Amino acid sequence: MFLYQYFKNPKQTGAFCASSKKLSKLITSHVQHAKNIIEIGPGTGSFTKYILKQKNHDARFFAVEINPHMAKKLQQNIKNIDLEIRSAEFLPDMLEKRAINNADLIISGIPWALLNSKEQDLLLKSIHEVLEKNGCFATFAYILPTPKGRAFKKKLFTTFSKVEISPIIWQNLPPAFVYFCTK
């Protein structure tokens, strides 16, 4: 499924296989204390399963997936998931629809290095807008250095007050690391 969707539309499916358990555990490591959680680009649910397992019972959660084929698979894998099938550029509308003021944790599987600069800016603006002060934005990148990937890293450091970079997860295919960004 991933490989087919990746070649069909790489901007909507940035991976050719699901994220590893180790990457999933790391990127969701802030879930326990969050009250309003958004997952962007959940694919088939590698991170989603860990979010649902770890989140506080009272915490609110919804996912945003732009690829309708991946969204359908996610809904088959995880019953009763609150899922928006549209672009994350509309996060403010999605929060308003749910009567949520801000998110304190946003976890992203967006393939940032495959997006052009304008698309990156648009999505980062939307994420930053809905994230509460001191909220966490967690996203990952592959270790393969690309010009768009380097440009995205610079954008994170100019957009957020604090950015931490995890050690490399060599067990992921391809190896990846996580950016933990604080507003």
mmCIF file of all heavy atoms in Angstrom, residues 50-99:
data_model
loop_
_atom_site.group_PDB
_atom_site.id
_atom_site.type_symbol
_atom_site.label_atom_id
_atom_site.label_comp_id
_atom_site.label_asym_id
_atom_site.label_seq_id
_atom_site.Cartn_x
_atom_site.Cartn_y
_atom_site.Cartn_z
ATOM 1 N N TYR A 50 0.034 4.320 19.012
ATOM 2 C CA TYR A 50 0.761 4.697 20.220
ATOM 3 C C TYR A 50 0.113 5.891 20.907
ATOM 4 O O TYR A 50 0.071 5.967 22.132
ATOM 5 C CB TYR A 50 2.235 4.979 19.898
ATOM 6 C CG TYR A 50 3.016 3.717 19.676
ATOM 7 C CD1 TYR A 50 3.135 3.166 18.408
ATOM 8 C CD2 TYR A 50 3.629 3.058 20.746
ATOM 9 C CE1 TYR A 50 3.838 1.992 18.196
ATOM 10 C CE2 TYR A 50 4.337 1.882 20.534
ATOM 11 C CZ TYR A 50 4.437 1.350 19.263
ATOM 12 O OH TYR A 50 5.132 0.185 19.068
ATOM 13 N N ILE A 51 -0.397 6.826 20.120
ATOM 14 C CA ILE A 51 -1.087 7.984 20.706
ATOM 15 C C ILE A 51 -2.298 7.503 21.492
ATOM 16 O O ILE A 51 -2.490 7.893 22.650
ATOM 17 C CB ILE A 51 -1.519 8.985 19.604
ATOM 18 C CG1 ILE A 51 -0.296 9.635 18.952
ATOM 19 C CG2 ILE A 51 -2.453 10.050 20.186
ATOM 20 C CD1 ILE A 51 -0.603 10.422 17.683
ATOM 21 N N LEU A 52 -3.120 6.677 20.876
ATOM 22 C CA LEU A 52 -4.347 6.206 21.529
ATOM 23 C C LEU A 52 -4.053 5.361 22.768
ATOM 24 O O LEU A 52 -4.793 5.409 23.749
ATOM 25 C CB LEU A 52 -5.210 5.433 20.525
ATOM 26 C CG LEU A 52 -5.786 6.291 19.385
ATOM 27 C CD1 LEU A 52 -6.477 5.412 18.355
ATOM 28 C CD2 LEU A 52 -6.720 7.364 19.915
ATOM 29 N N LYS A 53 -2.969 4.613 22.725
ATOM 30 C CA LYS A 53 -2.569 3.785 23.861
ATOM 31 C C LYS A 53 -2.090 4.624 25.049
ATOM 32 O O LYS A 53 -2.355 4.307 26.194
ATOM 33 C CB LYS A 53 -1.433 2.851 23.426
ATOM 34 C CG LYS A 53 -1.626 1.403 23.829
ATOM 35 C CD LYS A 53 -0.408 0.586 23.496
ATOM 36 C CE LYS A 53 -0.424 0.128 22.050
ATOM 37 N NZ LYS A 53 0.692 -0.763 21.714
ATOM 38 N N GLN A 54 -1.371 5.713 24.748
ATOM 39 C CA GLN A 54 -0.716 6.488 25.792
ATOM 40 C C GLN A 54 -1.486 7.711 26.274
ATOM 41 O O GLN A 54 -1.217 8.216 27.362
ATOM 42 C CB GLN A 54 0.644 6.987 25.284
ATOM 43 C CG GLN A 54 1.606 5.883 24.937
ATOM 44 C CD GLN A 54 2.873 6.468 24.362
ATOM 45 O OE1 GLN A 54 3.556 7.244 25.010
ATOM 46 N NE2 GLN A 54 3.188 6.119 23.131
ATOM 47 N N LYS A 55 -2.414 8.210 25.486
ATOM 48 C CA LYS A 55 -3.070 9.468 25.852
ATOM 49 C C LYS A 55 -3.932 9.303 27.101
ATOM 50 O O LYS A 55 -4.470 8.233 27.368
ATOM 51 C CB LYS A 55 -3.880 10.026 24.689
ATOM 52 C CG LYS A 55 -5.236 9.386 24.463
ATOM 53 C CD LYS A 55 -5.978 10.101 23.355
ATOM 54 C CE LYS A 55 -7.406 9.639 23.238
ATOM 55 N NZ LYS A 55 -8.253 9.941 24.368
ATOM 56 N N ASN A 56 -4.043 10.395 27.841
ATOM 57 C CA ASN A 56 -4.910 10.441 29.004
ATOM 58 C C ASN A 56 -6.347 10.200 28.546
ATOM 59 O O ASN A 56 -6.738 10.644 27.456
ATOM 60 C CB ASN A 56 -4.752 11.818 29.664
ATOM 61 C CG ASN A 56 -5.519 11.930 30.950
ATOM 62 O OD1 ASN A 56 -6.724 11.734 30.991
ATOM 63 N ND2 ASN A 56 -4.809 12.249 32.002
ATOM 64 N N HIS A 57 -7.135 9.559 29.377
ATOM 65 C CA HIS A 57 -8.522 9.234 29.032
ATOM 66 C C HIS A 57 -9.323 10.489 28.669
ATOM 67 O O HIS A 57 -10.188 10.449 27.791
ATOM 68 C CB HIS A 57 -9.191 8.487 30.192
ATOM 69 C CG HIS A 57 -10.625 8.160 29.955
ATOM 70 N ND1 HIS A 57 -11.036 7.220 29.032
ATOM 71 C CD2 HIS A 57 -11.762 8.683 30.488
ATOM 72 C CE1 HIS A 57 -12.352 7.172 29.024
ATOM 73 N NE2 HIS A 57 -12.825 8.044 29.887
ATOM 74 N N ASP A 58 -9.043 11.613 29.327
ATOM 75 C CA ASP A 58 -9.778 12.857 29.089
ATOM 76 C C ASP A 58 -9.222 13.673 27.926
ATOM 77 O O ASP A 58 -9.827 14.667 27.528
ATOM 78 C CB ASP A 58 -9.754 13.729 30.357
ATOM 79 C CG ASP A 58 -10.448 13.040 31.524
ATOM 80 O OD1 ASP A 58 -11.356 12.229 31.272
ATOM 81 O OD2 ASP A 58 -10.070 13.313 32.671
ATOM 82 N N ALA A 59 -8.079 13.301 27.398
ATOM 83 C CA ALA A 59 -7.458 14.066 26.309
ATOM 84 C C ALA A 59 -8.283 13.940 25.039
ATOM 85 O O ALA A 59 -8.875 12.899 24.763
ATOM 86 C CB ALA A 59 -6.033 13.581 26.069
ATOM 87 N N ARG A 60 -8.304 15.019 24.269
ATOM 88 C CA ARG A 60 -9.003 15.019 22.984
ATOM 89 C C ARG A 60 -7.985 14.762 21.886
ATOM 90 O O ARG A 60 -6.854 15.236 21.953
ATOM 91 C CB ARG A 60 -9.705 16.343 22.779
ATOM 92 C CG ARG A 60 -10.736 16.541 23.908
ATOM 93 C CD ARG A 60 -11.737 17.594 23.681
ATOM 94 N NE ARG A 60 -12.453 17.464 22.441
ATOM 95 C CZ ARG A 60 -13.171 18.457 21.930
ATOM 96 N NH1 ARG A 60 -13.239 19.611 22.547
ATOM 97 N NH2 ARG A 60 -13.817 18.302 20.800
ATOM 98 N N PHE A 61 -8.410 14.019 20.865
ATOM 99 C CA PHE A 61 -7.511 13.640 19.777
ATOM 100 C C PHE A 61 -8.271 13.567 18.462
ATOM 101 O O PHE A 61 -9.387 13.054 18.411
ATOM 102 C CB PHE A 61 -6.870 12.275 20.065
ATOM 103 C CG PHE A 61 -6.173 11.672 18.871
ATOM 104 C CD1 PHE A 61 -4.969 12.182 18.433
ATOM 105 C CD2 PHE A 61 -6.745 10.619 18.172
ATOM 106 C CE1 PHE A 61 -4.325 11.643 17.314
ATOM 107 C CE2 PHE A 61 -6.116 10.071 17.064
ATOM 108 C CZ PHE A 61 -4.903 10.594 16.631
ATOM 109 N N PHE A 62 -7.650 14.102 17.421
ATOM 110 C CA PHE A 62 -8.142 13.845 16.071
ATOM 111 C C PHE A 62 -6.957 13.810 15.115
ATOM 112 O O PHE A 62 -5.876 14.308 15.414
ATOM 113 C CB PHE A 62 -9.220 14.849 15.628
ATOM 114 C CG PHE A 62 -8.752 16.243 15.327
ATOM 115 C CD1 PHE A 62 -8.419 16.623 14.033
ATOM 116 C CD2 PHE A 62 -8.688 17.190 16.334
ATOM 117 C CE1 PHE A 62 -8.016 17.918 13.750
ATOM 118 C CE2 PHE A 62 -8.294 18.498 16.066
ATOM 119 C CZ PHE A 62 -7.955 18.861 14.769
ATOM 120 N N ALA A 63 -7.185 13.175 13.970
ATOM 121 C CA ALA A 63 -6.137 13.008 12.961
ATOM 122 C C ALA A 63 -6.559 13.700 11.667
ATOM 123 O O ALA A 63 -7.752 13.831 11.376
ATOM 124 C CB ALA A 63 -5.884 11.523 12.712
ATOM 125 N N VAL A 64 -5.542 14.122 10.894
ATOM 126 C CA VAL A 64 -5.760 14.812 9.626
ATOM 127 C C VAL A 64 -4.944 14.080 8.554
ATOM 128 O O VAL A 64 -3.726 13.995 8.665
ATOM 129 C CB VAL A 64 -5.299 16.288 9.712
ATOM 130 C CG1 VAL A 64 -5.522 16.991 8.379
ATOM 131 C CG2 VAL A 64 -5.977 17.011 10.856
ATOM 132 N N GLU A 65 -5.624 13.562 7.550
ATOM 133 C CA GLU A 65 -4.949 12.836 6.471
ATOM 134 C C GLU A 65 -5.444 13.372 5.131
ATOM 135 O O GLU A 65 -6.649 13.388 4.880
ATOM 136 C CB GLU A 65 -5.227 11.332 6.575
ATOM 137 C CG GLU A 65 -4.680 10.485 5.447
ATOM 138 C CD GLU A 65 -3.170 10.603 5.265
ATOM 139 O OE1 GLU A 65 -2.433 10.286 6.212
ATOM 140 O OE2 GLU A 65 -2.750 11.020 4.166
ATOM 141 N N ILE A 66 -4.542 13.808 4.269
ATOM 142 C CA ILE A 66 -4.917 14.384 2.975
ATOM 143 C C ILE A 66 -5.168 13.314 1.903
ATOM 144 O O ILE A 66 -5.942 13.524 0.986
ATOM 145 C CB ILE A 66 -3.835 15.385 2.503
ATOM 146 C CG1 ILE A 66 -4.398 16.274 1.382
ATOM 147 C CG2 ILE A 66 -2.550 14.671 2.096
ATOM 148 C CD1 ILE A 66 -3.506 17.448 1.034
ATOM 149 N N ASN A 67 -4.553 12.149 2.052
ATOM 150 C CA ASN A 67 -4.679 11.090 1.049
ATOM 151 C C ASN A 67 -5.900 10.221 1.370
ATOM 152 O O ASN A 67 -5.910 9.499 2.370
ATOM 153 C CB ASN A 67 -3.399 10.245 1.049
ATOM 154 C CG ASN A 67 -3.408 9.172 -0.020
ATOM 155 O OD1 ASN A 67 -4.403 8.491 -0.222
ATOM 156 N ND2 ASN A 67 -2.279 9.009 -0.693
ATOM 157 N N PRO A 68 -6.949 10.259 0.538
ATOM 158 C CA PRO A 68 -8.171 9.507 0.834
ATOM 159 C C PRO A 68 -7.967 7.988 0.908
ATOM 160 O O PRO A 68 -8.652 7.303 1.667
ATOM 161 C CB PRO A 68 -9.127 9.885 -0.290
ATOM 162 C CG PRO A 68 -8.325 10.576 -1.322
ATOM 163 C CD PRO A 68 -7.045 11.032 -0.705
ATOM 164 N N HIS A 69 -7.014 7.464 0.153
ATOM 165 C CA HIS A 69 -6.755 6.019 0.191
ATOM 166 C C HIS A 69 -6.133 5.618 1.535
ATOM 167 O O HIS A 69 -6.487 4.597 2.112
ATOM 168 C CB HIS A 69 -5.861 5.603 -0.977
ATOM 169 C CG HIS A 69 -6.444 5.914 -2.310
ATOM 170 N ND1 HIS A 69 -7.504 5.214 -2.844
ATOM 171 C CD2 HIS A 69 -6.138 6.875 -3.216
ATOM 172 C CE1 HIS A 69 -7.824 5.724 -4.016
ATOM 173 N NE2 HIS A 69 -7.012 6.739 -4.264
ATOM 174 N N MET A 70 -5.194 6.430 1.995
ATOM 175 C CA MET A 70 -4.574 6.157 3.304
ATOM 176 C C MET A 70 -5.606 6.358 4.424
ATOM 177 O O MET A 70 -5.632 5.603 5.386
ATOM 178 C CB MET A 70 -3.362 7.056 3.529
ATOM 179 C CG MET A 70 -2.247 6.828 2.518
ATOM 180 S SD MET A 70 -1.609 5.146 2.535
ATOM 181 C CE MET A 70 -0.198 5.373 3.570
ATOM 182 N N ALA A 71 -6.463 7.368 4.276
ATOM 183 C CA ALA A 71 -7.500 7.637 5.280
ATOM 184 C C ALA A 71 -8.451 6.441 5.402
ATOM 185 O O ALA A 71 -8.819 6.041 6.507
ATOM 186 C CB ALA A 71 -8.268 8.899 4.916
ATOM 187 N N LYS A 72 -8.820 5.868 4.268
ATOM 188 C CA LYS A 72 -9.722 4.701 4.274
ATOM 189 C C LYS A 72 -9.057 3.528 4.998
ATOM 190 O O LYS A 72 -9.690 2.845 5.813
ATOM 191 C CB LYS A 72 -10.081 4.311 2.834
ATOM 192 C CG LYS A 72 -11.062 3.178 2.738
ATOM 193 C CD LYS A 72 -11.417 2.873 1.293
ATOM 194 C CE LYS A 72 -12.380 1.703 1.232
ATOM 195 N NZ LYS A 72 -12.682 1.330 -0.152
ATOM 196 N N LYS A 73 -7.781 3.317 4.723
ATOM 197 C CA LYS A 73 -7.038 2.232 5.385
ATOM 198 C C LYS A 73 -6.942 2.498 6.892
ATOM 199 O O LYS A 73 -7.107 1.579 7.700
ATOM 200 C CB LYS A 73 -5.641 2.114 4.752
ATOM 201 C CG LYS A 73 -4.873 0.914 5.195
ATOM 202 C CD LYS A 73 -5.435 -0.349 4.595
ATOM 203 C CE LYS A 73 -4.539 -1.519 4.923
ATOM 204 N NZ LYS A 73 -5.165 -2.792 4.611
ATOM 205 N N LEU A 74 -6.693 3.751 7.270
ATOM 206 C CA LEU A 74 -6.618 4.116 8.683
ATOM 207 C C LEU A 74 -7.949 3.841 9.378
ATOM 208 O O LEU A 74 -7.975 3.280 10.481
ATOM 209 C CB LEU A 74 -6.229 5.586 8.838
ATOM 210 C CG LEU A 74 -6.127 6.114 10.263
ATOM 211 C CD1 LEU A 74 -4.997 5.423 11.022
ATOM 212 C CD2 LEU A 74 -5.906 7.627 10.259
ATOM 213 N N GLN A 75 -9.051 4.204 8.735
ATOM 214 C CA GLN A 75 -10.375 3.962 9.317
ATOM 215 C C GLN A 75 -10.675 2.466 9.441
ATOM 216 O O GLN A 75 -11.395 2.046 10.346
ATOM 217 C CB GLN A 75 -11.452 4.664 8.490
ATOM 218 C CG GLN A 75 -11.406 6.163 8.651
ATOM 219 C CD GLN A 75 -12.324 6.905 7.699
ATOM 220 O OE1 GLN A 75 -12.428 6.570 6.512
ATOM 221 N NE2 GLN A 75 -12.988 7.925 8.207
ATOM 222 N N GLN A 76 -10.114 1.663 8.557
ATOM 223 C CA GLN A 76 -10.272 0.214 8.667
ATOM 224 C C GLN A 76 -9.436 -0.333 9.832
ATOM 225 O O GLN A 76 -9.865 -1.241 10.529
ATOM 226 C CB GLN A 76 -9.854 -0.483 7.374
ATOM 227 C CG GLN A 76 -10.789 -0.231 6.214
ATOM 228 C CD GLN A 76 -10.220 -0.714 4.879
ATOM 229 O OE1 GLN A 76 -9.049 -1.065 4.764
ATOM 230 N NE2 GLN A 76 -11.061 -0.719 3.850
ATOM 231 N N ASN A 77 -8.238 0.239 10.012
ATOM 232 C CA ASN A 77 -7.330 -0.216 11.075
ATOM 233 C C ASN A 77 -7.755 0.245 12.460
ATOM 234 O O ASN A 77 -7.541 -0.458 13.443
ATOM 235 C CB ASN A 77 -5.897 0.283 10.823
ATOM 236 C CG ASN A 77 -5.244 -0.388 9.643
ATOM 237 O OD1 ASN A 77 -5.697 -1.424 9.168
ATOM 238 N ND2 ASN A 77 -4.176 0.216 9.161
ATOM 239 N N ILE A 78 -8.308 1.455 12.545
ATOM 240 C CA ILE A 78 -8.665 2.032 13.841
ATOM 241 C C ILE A 78 -10.111 2.505 13.769
ATOM 242 O O ILE A 78 -10.417 3.547 13.179
ATOM 243 C CB ILE A 78 -7.714 3.184 14.217
ATOM 244 C CG1 ILE A 78 -6.275 2.666 14.274
ATOM 245 C CG2 ILE A 78 -8.131 3.813 15.544
ATOM 246 C CD1 ILE A 78 -5.230 3.718 14.461
ATOM 247 N N LYS A 79 -10.977 1.746 14.379
ATOM 248 C CA LYS A 79 -12.410 2.044 14.348
ATOM 249 C C LYS A 79 -12.707 3.290 15.178
ATOM 250 O O LYS A 79 -12.038 3.571 16.172
ATOM 251 C CB LYS A 79 -13.225 0.857 14.905
ATOM 252 C CG LYS A 79 -13.001 -0.443 14.166
ATOM 253 C CD LYS A 79 -13.452 -0.367 12.723
ATOM 254 C CE LYS A 79 -13.220 -1.682 12.010
ATOM 255 N NZ LYS A 79 -12.986 -1.552 10.606
ATOM 256 N N ASN A 80 -13.719 4.042 14.768
ATOM 257 C CA ASN A 80 -14.206 5.228 15.482
ATOM 258 C C ASN A 80 -13.172 6.335 15.632
ATOM 259 O O ASN A 80 -13.248 7.122 16.582
ATOM 260 C CB ASN A 80 -14.764 4.840 16.859
ATOM 261 C CG ASN A 80 -15.871 3.820 16.754
ATOM 262 O OD1 ASN A 80 -16.742 3.932 15.892
ATOM 263 N ND2 ASN A 80 -15.834 2.816 17.605
ATOM 264 N N ILE A 81 -12.201 6.417 14.757
ATOM 265 C CA ILE A 81 -11.212 7.487 14.840
ATOM 266 C C ILE A 81 -11.837 8.796 14.336
ATOM 267 O O ILE A 81 -12.592 8.793 13.369
ATOM 268 C CB ILE A 81 -9.931 7.146 14.043
ATOM 269 C CG1 ILE A 81 -8.871 8.225 14.281
ATOM 270 C CG2 ILE A 81 -10.222 6.938 12.567
ATOM 271 C CD1 ILE A 81 -7.495 7.861 13.776
ATOM 272 N N ASP A 82 -11.542 9.873 15.033
ATOM 273 C CA ASP A 82 -11.969 11.201 14.600
ATOM 274 C C ASP A 82 -10.960 11.639 13.539
ATOM 275 O O ASP A 82 -9.811 11.920 13.863
ATOM 276 C CB ASP A 82 -11.976 12.167 15.794
ATOM 277 C CG ASP A 82 -12.500 13.550 15.427
ATOM 278 O OD1 ASP A 82 -12.843 13.781 14.247
ATOM 279 O OD2 ASP A 82 -12.549 14.405 16.337
ATOM 280 N N LEU A 83 -11.391 11.649 12.287
ATOM 281 C CA LEU A 83 -10.478 11.861 11.166
ATOM 282 C C LEU A 83 -11.014 12.908 10.200
ATOM 283 O O LEU A 83 -12.170 12.850 9.786
ATOM 284 C CB LEU A 83 -10.271 10.533 10.421
ATOM 285 C CG LEU A 83 -9.377 10.550 9.182
ATOM 286 C CD1 LEU A 83 -7.935 10.888 9.550
ATOM 287 C CD2 LEU A 83 -9.439 9.191 8.487
ATOM 288 N N GLU A 84 -10.159 13.865 9.855
ATOM 289 C CA GLU A 84 -10.451 14.853 8.819
ATOM 290 C C GLU A 84 -9.666 14.449 7.580
ATOM 291 O O GLU A 84 -8.456 14.220 7.670
ATOM 292 C CB GLU A 84 -9.978 16.241 9.248
ATOM 293 C CG GLU A 84 -10.804 16.870 10.329
ATOM 294 C CD GLU A 84 -11.996 17.675 9.808
ATOM 295 O OE1 GLU A 84 -12.095 17.899 8.574
ATOM 296 O OE2 GLU A 84 -12.805 18.082 10.636
ATOM 297 N N ILE A 85 -10.342 14.371 6.438
ATOM 298 C CA ILE A 85 -9.664 14.048 5.188
ATOM 299 C C ILE A 85 -9.551 15.351 4.401
ATOM 300 O O ILE A 85 -10.415 15.694 3.594
ATOM 301 C CB ILE A 85 -10.426 12.959 4.404
ATOM 302 C CG1 ILE A 85 -10.616 11.723 5.277
ATOM 303 C CG2 ILE A 85 -9.670 12.604 3.115
ATOM 304 C CD1 ILE A 85 -11.537 10.674 4.691
ATOM 305 N N ARG A 86 -8.478 16.086 4.709
ATOM 306 C CA ARG A 86 -8.201 17.356 4.042
ATOM 307 C C ARG A 86 -6.818 17.847 4.430
ATOM 308 O O ARG A 86 -6.133 17.221 5.220
ATOM 309 C CB ARG A 86 -9.286 18.400 4.321
ATOM 310 C CG ARG A 86 -9.404 18.837 5.765
ATOM 311 C CD ARG A 86 -10.675 19.570 6.083
ATOM 312 N NE ARG A 86 -10.747 20.919 5.543
ATOM 313 C CZ ARG A 86 -11.448 21.897 6.085
ATOM 314 N NH1 ARG A 86 -12.132 21.690 7.184
ATOM 315 N NH2 ARG A 86 -11.484 23.087 5.537
ATOM 316 N N SER A 87 -6.432 18.966 3.890
ATOM 317 C CA SER A 87 -5.101 19.515 4.143
ATOM 318 C C SER A 87 -4.999 20.121 5.543
ATOM 319 O O SER A 87 -5.945 20.741 6.032
ATOM 320 C CB SER A 87 -4.775 20.591 3.102
ATOM 321 O OG SER A 87 -3.588 21.258 3.452
ATOM 322 N N ALA A 88 -3.829 19.985 6.144
ATOM 323 C CA ALA A 88 -3.570 20.563 7.466
ATOM 324 C C ALA A 88 -3.524 22.083 7.427
ATOM 325 O O ALA A 88 -3.495 22.722 8.475
ATOM 326 C CB ALA A 88 -2.256 20.012 8.025
ATOM 327 N N GLU A 89 -3.553 22.685 6.258
ATOM 328 C CA GLU A 89 -3.598 24.149 6.195
ATOM 329 C C GLU A 89 -4.898 24.676 6.803
ATOM 330 O O GLU A 89 -4.996 25.849 7.151
ATOM 331 C CB GLU A 89 -3.421 24.648 4.760
ATOM 332 C CG GLU A 89 -4.598 24.398 3.856
ATOM 333 C CD GLU A 89 -4.383 24.862 2.429
ATOM 334 O OE1 GLU A 89 -4.571 26.063 2.160
ATOM 335 O OE2 GLU A 89 -3.997 24.013 1.608
ATOM 336 N N PHE A 90 -5.888 23.802 6.965
ATOM 337 C CA PHE A 90 -7.174 24.191 7.521
ATOM 338 C C PHE A 90 -7.325 23.811 8.998
ATOM 339 O O PHE A 90 -8.441 23.681 9.495
ATOM 340 C CB PHE A 90 -8.312 23.583 6.687
ATOM 341 C CG PHE A 90 -8.260 23.996 5.246
ATOM 342 C CD1 PHE A 90 -7.867 23.087 4.275
ATOM 343 C CD2 PHE A 90 -8.557 25.295 4.862
ATOM 344 C CE1 PHE A 90 -7.786 23.470 2.937
ATOM 345 C CE2 PHE A 90 -8.482 25.687 3.531
ATOM 346 C CZ PHE A 90 -8.100 24.772 2.563
ATOM 347 N N LEU A 91 -6.221 23.642 9.699
ATOM 348 C CA LEU A 91 -6.271 23.282 11.127
ATOM 349 C C LEU A 91 -7.126 24.233 11.959
ATOM 350 O O LEU A 91 -7.900 23.768 12.806
ATOM 351 C CB LEU A 91 -4.860 23.203 11.715
ATOM 352 C CG LEU A 91 -4.055 21.949 11.396
ATOM 353 C CD1 LEU A 91 -2.643 22.064 11.960
ATOM 354 C CD2 LEU A 91 -4.736 20.704 11.938
ATOM 355 N N PRO A 92 -7.027 25.554 11.772
ATOM 356 C CA PRO A 92 -7.870 26.437 12.592
ATOM 357 C C PRO A 92 -9.361 26.111 12.470
ATOM 358 O O PRO A 92 -10.084 26.081 13.469
ATOM 359 C CB PRO A 92 -7.552 27.839 12.061
ATOM 360 C CG PRO A 92 -6.154 27.719 11.544
ATOM 361 C CD PRO A 92 -6.095 26.322 10.938
ATOM 362 N N ASP A 93 -9.826 25.816 11.253
ATOM 363 C CA ASP A 93 -11.231 25.446 11.048
ATOM 364 C C ASP A 93 -11.569 24.129 11.742
ATOM 365 O O ASP A 93 -12.656 23.967 12.298
ATOM 366 C CB ASP A 93 -11.543 25.300 9.553
ATOM 367 C CG ASP A 93 -11.390 26.600 8.780
ATOM 368 O OD1 ASP A 93 -11.441 27.681 9.393
ATOM 369 O OD2 ASP A 93 -11.194 26.524 7.553
ATOM 370 N N MET A 94 -10.641 23.191 11.701
ATOM 371 C CA MET A 94 -10.870 21.882 12.315
ATOM 372 C C MET A 94 -10.989 22.004 13.836
ATOM 373 O O MET A 94 -11.817 21.333 14.449
ATOM 374 C CB MET A 94 -9.747 20.926 11.938
ATOM 375 C CG MET A 94 -9.683 20.597 10.466
ATOM 376 S SD MET A 94 -8.240 19.553 10.100
ATOM 377 C CE MET A 94 -7.880 20.025 8.425
ATOM 378 N N LEU A 95 -10.168 22.848 14.438
ATOM 379 C CA LEU A 95 -10.253 23.062 15.885
ATOM 380 C C LEU A 95 -11.556 23.769 16.249
ATOM 381 O O LEU A 95 -12.224 23.392 17.216
ATOM 382 C CB LEU A 95 -9.049 23.864 16.400
ATOM 383 C CG LEU A 95 -7.896 23.027 16.914
ATOM 384 C CD1 LEU A 95 -7.148 22.332 15.806
ATOM 385 C CD2 LEU A 95 -6.956 23.853 17.748
ATOM 386 N N GLU A 96 -11.909 24.769 15.458
ATOM 387 C CA GLU A 96 -13.154 25.502 15.712
ATOM 388 C C GLU A 96 -14.356 24.555 15.643
ATOM 389 O O GLU A 96 -15.253 24.618 16.485
ATOM 390 C CB GLU A 96 -13.304 26.625 14.689
ATOM 391 C CG GLU A 96 -14.488 27.521 14.957
ATOM 392 C CD GLU A 96 -14.598 28.657 13.966
ATOM 393 O OE1 GLU A 96 -13.562 29.125 13.459
ATOM 394 O OE2 GLU A 96 -15.742 29.089 13.692
ATOM 395 N N LYS A 97 -14.368 23.681 14.666
ATOM 396 C CA LYS A 97 -15.449 22.695 14.495
ATOM 397 C C LYS A 97 -15.605 21.809 15.744
ATOM 398 O O LYS A 97 -16.705 21.408 16.091
ATOM 399 C CB LYS A 97 -15.119 21.838 13.259
ATOM 400 C CG LYS A 97 -16.025 20.682 12.980
ATOM 401 C CD LYS A 97 -15.535 19.966 11.724
ATOM 402 C CE LYS A 97 -16.100 18.591 11.571
ATOM 403 N NZ LYS A 97 -15.553 17.914 10.384
ATOM 404 N N ARG A 98 -14.489 21.553 16.432
ATOM 405 C CA ARG A 98 -14.496 20.699 17.620
ATOM 406 C C ARG A 98 -14.530 21.503 18.923
ATOM 407 O O ARG A 98 -14.392 20.934 20.001
ATOM 408 C CB ARG A 98 -13.252 19.798 17.601
ATOM 409 C CG ARG A 98 -13.314 18.764 16.502
ATOM 410 C CD ARG A 98 -11.982 18.075 16.282
ATOM 411 N NE ARG A 98 -12.121 17.015 15.312
ATOM 412 C CZ ARG A 98 -12.170 17.191 13.987
ATOM 413 N NH1 ARG A 98 -12.079 18.411 13.477
ATOM 414 N NH2 ARG A 98 -12.305 16.175 13.174
ATOM 415 N N ALA A 99 -14.663 22.811 18.820
ATOM 416 C CA ALA A 99 -14.670 23.704 19.985
ATOM 417 C C ALA A 99 -13.405 23.538 20.832
ATOM 418 O O ALA A 99 -13.442 23.507 22.051
ATOM 419 C CB ALA A 99 -15.925 23.491 20.827
#
